[in-house]
Amino acid sequence: QSVLTQPPSASGTPGQRVTISCSGSSSNIRDNSVNWYQQFPGVAPKLLIYSNNQRPSGVPDRFSGSKSGTSASLAISGLQSEDEADYYCSAWDDSLNGVIFGGGTKLTVL
Amino acid sequence: EVQLLESGGGLVQPGGSLRLSCTASGFIFSSYAMSWVRQAPGKGLEWVSIISSSGGSIYNADSVKGRFTISRDKSKNTLDLQMNSLRVEDTAIYYCARAIDTSGISIIWGYWGQGTLVTVSS
C-alpha cells in the first residue's frame, strides 16, 4: 500500500483538461516538495513536474502541478493521445526518512 | 549527454546475492546524489536507496534495510547496489537515477538508466 494515494485510473477525450490527485500527509506532501513522473510501457520514467509546479526544459506547458496542504495535483490541458501513460507522484517522507511514490495513475485518452 | 547504464541483473535463487552497477558518463559524477528505484512487473515505482554526492549520507527503504547496500566509486564513475538475502518480492526492474541538481540529497530524478531486470526465483 502506497503512502501517497492516487486514483488508479483517469481518462479524458482529446482537448479536455484532466487532473490527477495525489494525497499524502503532514510528513510528506505538506512539508516537502512533490515531483511527478510520466512513464510509457517498457521505458524508464520521465520527470514531468518537480518542486510542486516546475517544468523541466522540454515539457510542454500543457502540464502543470500544484500543491495545497497534504495534497498535490497534476493537470493536463489540451489532452492529446500521446499523453496516454502512467503518472506517478513522489515526495520525501520525514517519518520514513525516505522517498515515497504514489501507486500510479493510468491515463487513458478516449 | 548524460548516460546511465545499468548492468548485473539476472536470475538468482531466494536467499542469494547479486551486485548491480550503474556506469555514468556525460557529467561530473561526484557532484550528484544517485539513487536506485525499482519496479516490479506490472507494478508501480518503488524507491530503494539514495547516496549523497560525497557518499557520506545514505538512506534506504525499509523493505531493503539490512539487505541492500548502495555505494559509489568516483574513480570509476559507478554506482553499485549490493543485494543480499534476496527475496521473491525483490523481483523487479532496477533503475539508477540522477538528480537534476547538485543540492544536498536531491530526489528530483531527471535522468534515468534503461534498467536491469532482477528475477528472484527457485
Side-chain angles (χ1 to χ4, degrees):
Chain A
Q1 186 175 356
S2 302
V3 181
L4 299 181
T5 302
Q6 296 181 236
S9 64
S11 63
T13 56
Q16 265 191 333
R17 184 176 186 269
V18 171
T19 61
I20 296 172
S21 62
C22 175
S23 177
S25 68
S26 57
S27 64
N28 41 71
I29 290 181
R30 191 192 71 183
D31 290 346
N32 295 291
S33 294
V34 177
N35 307 312
W36 290 89
Y37 298 89
Q38 177 190 57
Q39 186 181 33
F40 295 104
V43 298
K46 169 190 171 184
L47 181 65
L48 198 63
I49 296 289
Y50 68 96
S51 298
N52 306 322
N53 55 17
Q54 302 299 301
R55 278 188 312 277
S57 172
V59 173
D61 59 7
R62 301 186 296 104
F63 295 90
S64 63
S66 63
K67 188 181 88 168
S68 178
T70 59
S71 293
S73 291
L74 172 70
I76 309 171
S77 59
L79 197 62
Q80 299 180 3
S81 58
E82 55 260 41
D83 297 332
E84 191 162 286
D86 294 324
Y87 293 84
Y88 296 90
C89 59
S90 75
W92 183 266
D93 189 286
D94 294 327
S95 295
L96 297 174
N97 235 6
V99 182
I100 51 174
F101 280 98
T105 298
K106 183 176 183 62
L107 176 64
T108 301
V109 181
L110 302 170
Chain B
E1 180 192 3
V2 173
Q3 290 194 347
L4 300 170
L5 184 62
E6 301 95 338
S7 60
L11 175 64
V12 61
Q13 291 188 337
S17 297
L18 210 57
R19 189 177 185 89
L20 305 183
S21 286
C22 171
T23 302
S25 61
F27 64 99
I28 301 173
F29 182 67
S30 59
S31 294
Y32 293 87
M34 299 293 296
S35 301
W36 288 97
V37 177
R38 69 184 181 183
Q39 187 169 34
K43 302 297 183 182
L45 301 173
E46 180 187 15
W47 167 74
V48 174
S49 187
I50 188 169
I51 185 168
S52 64
S53 57
S54 67
S57 293
I58 289 172
Y59 296 92
N60 297 297
D62 286 345
S63 58
V64 306
K65 275 179 185 172
R67 302 188 300 123
F68 290 12
T69 302
I70 191 172
S71 62
R72 63 191 300 160
D73 186 331
K74 67 179 182 180
S75 68
K76 297 179 181 177
N77 281 5
T78 55
L79 173 74
D80 289 339
L81 186 68
Q82 176 65 43
M83 304 186 296
N84 298 328
S85 302
L86 281 161
R87 305 167 181 168
V88 171
E89 54 265 35
D90 294 320
T91 295
I93 295 173
Y94 285 72
Y95 296 101
C96 72
R98 197 211 87 175
I100 63 170
D101 60 326
T102 59
S103 56
I105 297 194
S106 174
I107 61 167
I108 305 173
W109 299 309
Y111 300 92
W112 297 69
Q114 85 292 345
T116 186
L117 177 62
V118 172
T119 303
V120 185
S121 175
S122 55

